Amino acid sequence: MNPVLARSIGLPQYTAGVPGALPMADAPVGVILVNLGTPTAAEPRAIRRFLKEFLSDPRVVEIPKPLWWLILNGIILNVRPRKIQDKYASVWLPEGSPLMVYSRRQQAALAHAMQTRGLNVKVELGMRYGEPSLASAIDALRAQGCERMLVLPLYPQYAASTTATVVDKVAEHLRGLRSQPELRFVQRYGQDSGYIAALAAQVQAHWAEHGRAQRLLMSFHGLPKVSIQQGDPYHAECLDTAQRLTAALGLTEADVVVTFQSRFGAQEWLQPYTEPTLQALARDGVRTLDVICPGFAVDCLETLEEVAQGCAETFHEAGGESLRYIPALNDAPVWIDALADLAERNLLGWLPMRP
C-alpha cells in the first residue's frame, strides 16, 4: 500500500527490523539453536527450579498427570536436587554449566561461519527449559529484522520427548503473536554425512593421541521402551547413527558396542543399559574401552559426570583398566562447518543466490 494512503487511514507501515514487517529480499534470516537447558547454578534451589520445569513436561514423563504431580512435588523435588548437586559441581566450569558454555560457543562459532560464507544469518540460542528461553530467542531475532527463522534443535536423533517438545514450545509462543514469523524446523540430523564425519574425526583424533582401545562403546541417552512401542523412531535412528559411524571408522560390528544410559524410574528402558554392559565387558576380559556419546551435541552432566566419571569408576571396579571418554563435538571446527552446511541447506529459498 502507498505509505501516504496508509498514514491517511491510520494503518501501520511495514518497516524492516520491526516485528511483523514483510520479509525483504536483503533482510536477515534467523537460526535458533535449541538445547535442553540447565540449572543456572550447581546448588539445590537452581536445580529444583530446572527439574520442576523439565519434569513437568507431559512429553518427558508420560504417566497420569495427577499421580505424577504427587510424585514430583512430594518426593523428587524435595530429594533429588540435594542428591545430585555434587554431581553438577563436579563438572561445573569456571564460566558456568558445561551445557550452557559449549552451547554458547556453538552459537558464536555458527554465527561466525555463516558470516564468513557471506550469508546474512543471525543466530540465537534458546533452551527448551530455563533460560535463555525459546520465546526470548524468537523475539531477539525479530528485533534484528528476521521474519524467517530456522529452528534447529541440537538433538541428532528425533524423539517426542526432545524434538517434538521444542515444536510444542515454539507453537505456544506463536499463539500469542498477532503477526507470526515464517518458521522451518530441522527434525533430525543423525544420518547427516557431515555430522557422521565430524564424529569420526573426533574418534580418530582421540586415537591419534591416546591409541585405540579394545572396544568402542557408543552410549546414547535412554528412553522408556513403551515410547518406542507407541511409535517413537528414536531407537532406530540411534542404531542407524551407530552403523554409519562404525562404517566411517572402518570398524566391524565386533569392534563396537551400542548401549543406552541415563535410565530413570522403575519402568523398562531401551537396552542394553550402559553400566551393566561395562561390567560384563570387564568380566569378559576387555581391559581398555573408548566411549563416545553420539546423541549429545555438547558435553553436559550426562557425558561428563555419568560417563566420564561414573562409568569409568564402574568399569574399573569390575576389573577394567581404562575407560577413556571421547568428548562431544562441542565447537570442534569440523562440526561447526557441518552445522553451517546443515543450516544453509535448510535455509534454501530464503537466502540470496550465490554468484
Side-chain angles (χ1 to χ4, degrees):
M1 178 180 289
N2 182 288
V4 175
L5 178 58
R7 285 195 299 271
S8 70
I9 60 177
L11 293 179
Q13 299 178 62
Y14 288 107
T15 305
V18 176
L22 292 172
M24 308 299 290
D26 58 349
V29 296
V31 173
I32 304 174
L33 291 182
V34 186
N35 215 330
L36 180 78
T38 174
T40 55
E43 54 89 16
R45 182 177 297 180
I47 295 171
R48 186 182 192 278
R49 185 166 55 248
F50 171 72
L51 289 180
K52 184 176 179 64
E53 182 181 1
F54 174 44
L55 296 177
S56 294
D57 188 337
R59 282 198 186 268
V60 172
V61 181
E62 298 183 277
I63 66 175
K65 219 171 182 180
L67 174 61
W68 179 242
W69 190 93
L70 291 173
I71 295 171
L72 178 62
N73 292 277
I75 302 174
I76 294 175
L77 294 179
N78 291 317
V79 175
R80 192 159 179 80
R82 293 192 180 279
K83 187 176 180 180
I84 64 175
Q85 66 172 324
D86 289 343
K87 295 177 185 266
Y88 273 106
S90 72
V91 300
W92 215 253
L93 300 173
E95 308 99 306
S97 161
L99 183 142
M100 180 64 75
V101 170
Y102 293 125
S103 295
R104 283 293 190 196
R105 290 180 187 176
Q106 279 194 359
Q107 174 197 357
L110 179 60
H112 179 73
M114 301 306 259
Q115 183 182 31
T116 300
R117 296 182 181 200
L119 302 174
N120 193 7
V121 176
K122 309 296 182 182
V123 183
E124 292 290 336
L125 177 67
M127 295 295 179
R128 175 56 186 87
Y129 311 100
E131 298 295 333
S133 67
L134 282 169
S136 70
I138 293 170
D139 293 344
L141 287 175
R142 299 191 88 192
Q144 296 173 75
C146 302
E147 287 299 317
R148 289 171 168 165
M149 303 175 196
L150 174 69
V151 181
L152 205 171
L154 291 170
Y155 306 122
Q157 298 80 25
Y158 175 95
S161 56
T162 54
T163 312
T165 193
V166 170
V167 179
D168 293 344
K169 196 65 176 179
V170 169
E172 178 184 299
H173 182 58
L174 262 59
R175 279 200 298 270
L177 299 181
R178 175 66 62 178
S179 176
Q180 298 175 336
E182 293 183 67
L183 291 175
R184 293 177 181 172
F185 292 85
V186 174
Q187 279 197 318
R188 54 181 58 79
Y189 60 85
Q191 78 290 355
D192 180 76
S193 60
Y195 159 72
I196 297 297
L199 286 175
Q202 196 80 340
V203 175
Q204 289 161 344
H206 171 83
W207 285 345
E209 183 176 354
H210 303 287
R212 181 173 151 184
Q214 290 174 261
R215 297 283 192 283
L216 175 64
L217 187 143
M218 302 181 191
S219 181
F220 292 85
H221 197 287
L223 206 64
K225 188 175 180 181
V226 67
S227 300
I228 307 305
Q229 294 169 338
Q230 293 173 344
D232 203 301
Y234 178 75
H235 184 241
E237 293 190 14
C238 290
L239 296 182
D240 179 65
T241 294
Q243 290 171 356
R244 291 172 187 267
L245 180 54
T246 299
L249 291 168
L251 301 177
T252 68
E253 290 186 6
D255 300 316
V256 175
V257 182
V258 178
T259 62
F260 296 88
Q261 65 182 82
S262 308
R263 181 187 177 200
F264 180 78
Q267 63 183 311
E268 182 180 359
W269 281 43
L270 293 176
Q271 297 192 40
Y273 300 137
T274 296
E275 289 214 7
T277 300
L278 295 173
Q279 294 168 328
L281 288 169
R283 288 194 299 267
D284 290 343
V286 174
R287 292 293 170 262
T288 58
L289 193 65
D290 291 326
V291 182
I292 189 169
C293 299
F296 294 88
V298 299
D299 277 314
C300 56
L301 184 73
E302 285 81 1
T303 63
L304 298 175
E305 191 282 327
E306 184 178 352
V307 174
Q309 295 179 20
C311 286
E313 184 178 344
T314 297
F315 186 62
H316 181 73
E317 289 175 349
E321 294 177 2
S322 176
L323 182 150
R324 292 98 56 95
Y325 171 65
I326 301 171
L329 293 173
N330 296 323
D331 58 342
V334 65
W335 166 233
I336 296 303
D337 193 48
L339 187 61
D341 287 342
L342 179 65
E344 187 173 354
R345 285 198 306 273
N346 282 276
L347 291 171
L348 287 176
W350 284 357
L351 295 170
M353 295 290 291
R354 293 202 183 199

